[in-house]
Amino acid sequence: MAKPITEASEYHNAPCYPVSHIVQHLFGSNLVDMKCDLTDDHPAKKTKTESVVDVDFSKLESELRDYVIKQEGRPRMCFLEFLGYHDPHSPQTQATETDSSNVGSMIECGLFIEALDSVRSDVFPGLVPPAPYLVSLLGYAQQGHATSFYLRDLRHVMYNLLITNPPWMAHCKVRKYFSQVLQCPRCKTGLWPFLETAISYCLSTGVSCHPLPGPALPTLLQFHSDLLAFVLKLFQGELHSVNAEDFVLPERRGVSFAPASGSLLYGTFWTVWERSTLLSRAVKQLIRLLLQAFIEDCVHRDEKQKLRLADNLLDLLSVLVEFWCQQHFKLKQTLVEKGLKDLAEHFAVISQDVSPVVLAELVVRITSTRLKLVLADGIFRSLCCRNGFTVGDEPISFKKMVLSYLPALGNLAQCPSGARLRTGPTPHSGASQGAGCSADCSPVNETSLEKENVPKGLNRVNAAGETLLHRACKRNQVETVLQILALPGIDINVKDHAGWTPLHEACNHGSAACVEILLQHRPAPILDNQVGGVSPLHDSMLNGHMDIAKMLLEHAGSVLLQQTDGNGHTALDLTSETTRREELLHSAHVGDSALRNFSTEVLNVPLLEAASSLLANLIFTYRREQGLPHHGDSLSLTLVRALETHSPQKVTSGWTDQRVVRLVEDAETLLELGRGGYLGQISRAVRECKEENTLFLMEILEDFKYRGEMLLADL
């Protein structure tokens, strides 16, 4: 009687009353004594389906978008020590230069110690010594004749000058003053050559704008290291001024800061024409010096650690990356994403010869979560590429880490420990799926191969952008495919003009033998590459090639069944026959078993430990950076309730912001972890490894599984 009436009901004309009305009719006033609350809005009486049906997906999208924007726009690096640099009762002036003619006379007579003592007494808020005098004092320090007491006093003068006259809270004249002081006393070519010379001197590379005393003196090494630390402190203050409105104390409200466009940080690392790109010429040079410093720090740890050169350069890179991102985030978010991606790829390319252990330690010591996230991701993908297999270059997400990076960890554990990593140019991320190899890694070195071993027309591309490998896979020409793949430098994931790979063509045209050959090749082809939402698995299903579909699933496991096409359909959705669905599921199970039981022994412990450290930092930092759903949050509860009834594709249908879509997919991945899924994709060798970093990674995954369980418990 209480069941809702539908149009198709044969009892359409029968009276229908809610249960509460019937109980009220039967029990009357006795209902009060029963202490029953039968109101429709009581949460205990609502079923899970009833509470979720009311979720407004468009409103949910708007709330999630606001949440994502707030997460991405918040300041990451806050330097609270700079809050004491401003006295509200002593407003900043234009930093008038004092009359220090006696100091000039002392410098002319070579009395640098006495001149420095006089300068120390002239540093007050709003009063600064003439810039040429400070330049001369710095020049004397660089000559190598100054005592350690002189260098110490000069450092104190510089820091007092920064504290009493911070350039980020004063007139532009103060910034101009600092730019005049912080440059090479002899060459006077700007702040970056001054910094580069100091870094190079600490590295003993001999690269400087003009010859410096050699061999490197311990006192001068410390002096140049102190200069770098001083400039870092100045740049941290400028980053503080960008984020100041977000975290200054209440009594400090209304304090004016200098505009970031005229900051010393901008002028040092970006020219006017480079400000729309993160990877400027100076930034690339800084990254190169950082890698060199970190390698030396690992080799000569006791000696180099005293200078803190590697840590200071890491902090400097973190500050300038955060500064640039904060400046461009509100204007054009895609520009920031591209800049960070370019930085990660550039770092991965120039660090190919660096030990994975060194790179993993470098990532651990990064202070900026934004920089740590992109570098950890770029280095991990580079390790996979250098060891013979690739992962997709889609934007980083928790779903990608669980479904793609965790299985890749098992492959890294099986790499032979004695295998030498490739040191030549290799494709990375976007380049790995680009249109062929670059000029530096041409597909064939014909000078070292006999011409009869090179298939005819190998380097020819037709009007559609198809290579000979594409055409051979379309025609199921097995011998030609074998001949091409035997050549060095062949890109198995080369794309034509439409984005199709040779594997796509083989799956589309039913070339089962070619598919088998491609899957056996190392590096293996990318199986999750999609063109218009069509993956190789979808291609084989849409064209009725069940044998190829089962081959792909037996090779990669059930992870392929998670893929959806442009309409949100999985491979199982493309067939309605129960028998075929069971065959696909069985093939996926076979693939999962083969991947899990591939080996119980770790063949390359150092590589696995480095990769585990990178992945642990990647997952942990991603949670801090993106803000995954967590227990007790009302927005997270609404999202989880929606996902309990609807698929992620249903929830996000029609949504245009991919950041919000990725957040929903991350939430679904977290819930699946809470249900006990996905962790079975980790190879047995990795699960049974007792090394420190791998154990820590497993603990992090268990913690995420617990978080997923808590979210499910909220329902």
Side-chain angles (χ1 to χ4, degrees):
M1 292 174 63
K3 188 174 182 180
I5 296 297
T6 62
E7 293 294 330
S9 175
E10 58 181 318
Y11 306 105
H12 186 270
N13 296 324
C16 181
Y17 301 98
V19 173
S20 58
H21 181 86
I22 298 174
V23 173
Q24 181 73 30
H25 176 76
L26 293 176
F27 297 99
S29 60
N30 295 329
L31 179 63
V32 179
D33 300 330
M34 296 174 61
K35 299 181 180 180
C36 293
D37 190 352
L38 295 174
T39 56
D40 292 338
D41 58 349
H42 193 278
K45 297 301 178 181
K46 279 190 176 184
T47 65
K48 187 184 300 183
T49 302
E50 290 172 334
S51 62
V52 175
V53 167
D54 296 332
V55 175
D56 185 348
F57 290 159
S58 61
K59 180 181 178 182
L60 178 61
E61 179 191 14
S62 177
E63 292 177 348
L64 290 176
R65 185 186 295 111
D66 293 341
Y67 172 77
V68 169
I69 293 175
K70 182 179 179 181
Q71 280 289 119
E72 293 183 345
R74 77 188 194 283
R76 269 77 168 177
M77 303 176 69
C78 302
F79 305 99
L80 298 179
E81 65 269 24
F82 290 103
L83 296 177
Y85 278 18
H86 175 72
D87 184 359
H89 304 290
S90 301
Q92 299 295 329
T93 64
Q94 296 186 11
T96 305
E97 292 187 358
T98 59
D99 183 12
S100 305
S101 56
N102 60 326
V103 175
S105 300
M106 294 178 190
I107 292 176
E108 290 178 0
C109 296
L111 302 175
F112 291 95
I113 297 177
E114 292 77 4
L116 181 59
D117 289 337
S118 180
V119 166
R120 291 180 63 183
S121 62
D122 292 336
V123 178
F124 292 99
L127 295 176
V128 295
Y133 295 165
L134 274 181
V135 172
S136 298
L137 295 176
L138 284 171
Y140 174 72
Q142 283 190 344
Q143 295 173 11
H145 304 304
T147 64
S148 58
F149 295 102
Y150 177 89
L151 298 177
R152 181 199 62 189
D153 291 343
L154 181 58
R155 182 186 63 183
H156 288 167
V157 168
M158 298 298 293
Y159 273 96
N160 287 336
L161 188 65
L162 182 65
I163 292 174
T164 56
N165 297 277
W168 56 87
M169 297 178 63
H171 192 268
C172 61
K173 185 177 179 180
V174 180
R175 298 196 299 277
K176 184 178 180 180
Y177 175 84
F178 274 92
S179 64
Q180 292 174 346
V181 172
L182 296 175
Q183 59 180 337
C184 177
R186 182 185 302 183
C187 304
K188 298 181 180 180
T189 53
L191 180 50
W192 170 244
F194 180 64
L195 272 181
E196 189 177 18
T197 297
I199 299 169
S200 299
Y201 190 83
C202 294
L203 293 174
S204 303
T205 61
V207 178
S208 59
C209 54
H210 69 273
L212 294 176
L217 303 174
T219 54
L220 272 185
L221 283 175
Q222 188 62 52
F223 173 69
H224 284 290
S225 178
D226 290 341
L227 279 180
L228 176 61
F230 171 79
V231 176
L232 172 62
K233 186 65 66 177
L234 189 156
F235 289 158
Q236 287 175 340
E238 292 192 325
L239 175 60
H240 153 81
S241 70
V242 174
N243 300 326
E245 294 299 325
D246 296 308
F247 64 92
V248 294
L249 298 177
E251 61 270 18
R252 302 288 309 286
R253 297 294 179 183
V255 174
S256 61
F257 296 96
S261 58
S263 63
L264 291 172
L265 189 54
Y266 246 150
T268 302
F269 289 98
W270 294 276
T271 65
V272 176
W273 310 108
E274 290 178 325
R275 293 190 176 183
S276 61
T277 177
L278 176 56
L279 272 181
S280 64
R281 171 181 166 274
V283 173
K284 290 180 180 179
Q285 290 174 325
L286 176 63
I287 294 174
R288 176 181 57 81
L289 293 171
L290 166 63
L291 274 175
Q292 186 175 351
F294 213 89
I295 293 172
E296 290 197 10
D297 187 61
C298 293
V299 175
H300 309 287
R301 188 174 298 275
D302 295 336
E303 176 185 350
K304 296 294 183 180
Q305 191 64 29
K306 297 177 182 178
L307 299 178
R308 289 184 52 83
L309 180 62
D311 290 330
N312 284 337
L313 291 180
L314 262 181
D315 290 342
L316 180 58
L317 182 62
S318 298
V319 167
L320 68 92
V321 167
E322 192 62 37
F323 181 88
W324 185 87
C325 291
Q326 285 291 331
Q327 286 300 295
H328 292 279
F329 171 77
K330 295 180 180 179
L331 298 177
K332 194 173 182 182
Q333 178 213 338
T334 56
L335 181 67
V336 174
E337 293 178 353
K338 183 181 184 303
L340 292 173
K341 182 178 180 180
D342 292 342
L343 173 67
E345 292 183 355
H346 176 75
F347 189 92
V349 169
I350 68 172
S351 64
Q352 291 184 93
D353 295 333
V354 182
S355 167
V357 178
V358 174
L359 295 177
E361 183 177 348
L362 184 148
V363 168
V364 170
R365 288 159 67 173
I366 296 176
T367 55
S368 167
T369 55
R370 199 196 304 259
L371 181 62
K372 178 178 289 191
L373 184 67
V374 297
L375 286 192
D377 182 49
I379 294 171
F380 187 88
R381 288 189 286 115
S382 176
L383 286 183
C384 294
C385 183
R386 288 154 59 185
N387 286 276
F389 56 95
T390 54
V391 293
D393 68 336
E394 65 273 9
I396 183 64
S397 65
F398 186 57
K399 177 181 179 181
K400 178 183 179 181
M401 286 184 279
V402 171
L403 297 183
S404 182
Y405 287 3
L406 285 179
L409 198 64
N411 293 332
L412 290 174
Q414 301 305 316
C415 293
S417 58
R420 185 175 183 270
L421 297 180
R422 292 182 292 174
T423 57
T426 54
H428 287 271
S429 50
S432 66
Q433 301 183 37
C437 300
S438 64
D440 292 333
C441 77
S442 57
V444 180
N445 183 2
E446 296 195 10
T447 60
S448 62
L449 295 173
E450 298 182 3
K451 290 186 177 180
E452 58 268 19
N453 293 331
V454 180
K456 184 179 179 181
L458 176 64
N459 298 315
R460 295 178 184 173
V461 178
N462 63 17
E466 295 176 339
T467 64
L468 181 60
L469 186 58
H470 282 95
R471 299 191 294 272
C473 288
K474 290 173 66 173
R475 300 164 186 165
N476 203 24
Q477 297 173 343
V478 178
E479 294 295 332
T480 303
V481 172
L482 287 171
Q483 199 173 0
I484 295 173
L485 295 181
L487 299 174
I490 289 296
D491 183 7
I492 195 173
N493 297 303
V494 60
K495 296 180 180 179
D496 62 15
H497 294 334
W500 303 109
T501 64
L503 181 61
H504 271 113
E505 299 292 1
C507 294
N508 181 274
H509 291 82
S511 305
C514 290
V515 171
E516 185 176 3
I517 294 171
L518 293 172
L519 294 178
Q520 293 174 355
H521 186 264
R522 291 294 178 270
I526 298 175
L527 301 185
D528 58 356
N529 187 20
Q530 293 186 339
V531 180
V534 179
S535 67
L537 179 60
H538 285 87
D539 222 345
S540 60
M541 291 292 297
L542 290 171
N543 291 280
H545 306 308
M546 277 291 294
D547 53 340
I548 294 179
K550 291 190 290 185
M551 194 184 306
L552 295 173
L553 291 171
E554 291 175 2
H555 176 81
S558 58
V559 63
L560 293 184
L561 293 179
Q562 306 294 330
Q563 289 182 301
T564 57
D565 59 15
N567 297 320
H569 296 147
T570 65
L572 293 177
D573 296 332
L574 299 181
T575 177
S576 58
E577 297 183 19
T578 305
T579 305
R580 289 195 170 187
R581 293 171 63 91
E582 291 177 353
E583 290 178 358
L584 293 175
L585 290 172
H586 175 73
S587 297
H589 178 72
V590 171
D592 290 339
S593 301
L595 292 174
R596 285 194 300 266
N597 301 319
F598 180 66
S599 176
T600 60
E601 180 184 1
V602 176
L603 302 181
N604 197 332
V605 174
L607 182 60
L608 174 61
E609 278 290 275
S612 296
S613 176
L614 288 171
L615 192 51
N617 278 277
L618 188 60
I619 294 175
F620 188 76
T621 307
Y622 183 83
R623 174 175 168 266
R624 292 182 59 191
E625 185 71 10
Q626 301 297 330
L628 292 175
H630 57 275
H631 168 68
D633 180 68
S634 59
L635 180 59
S636 299
L637 181 60
T638 302
L639 175 58
V640 171
R641 283 177 172 173
L643 291 174
E644 273 297 282
T645 303
H646 305 285
S647 66
Q649 293 77 24
K650 175 66 175 178
V651 174
T652 60
S653 177
W655 292 12
T656 57
D657 195 328
Q658 292 303 310
R659 298 170 302 172
V660 181
V661 174
R662 285 196 296 271
L663 182 60
V664 174
E665 293 176 346
D666 289 342
E668 176 64 22
T669 305
L670 192 60
L671 292 176
E672 187 60 29
L673 280 176
R675 301 185 188 103
Y678 292 150
L679 292 182
Q681 297 187 32
I682 306 175
S683 70
R684 186 177 176 184
V686 175
R687 292 200 307 269
E688 296 180 357
C689 181
K690 303 302 179 183
E691 298 295 327
E692 180 181 2
N693 292 336
T694 307
L695 286 175
F696 181 59
L697 174 61
M698 295 298 106
E699 291 177 2
I700 289 179
L701 293 175
E702 286 296 329
D703 177 68
F704 273 85
K705 178 182 177 182
Y706 172 74
R707 292 176 183 275
E709 293 173 350
M710 293 298 293
L711 286 174
L712 291 172
D714 287 340
L715 297 176

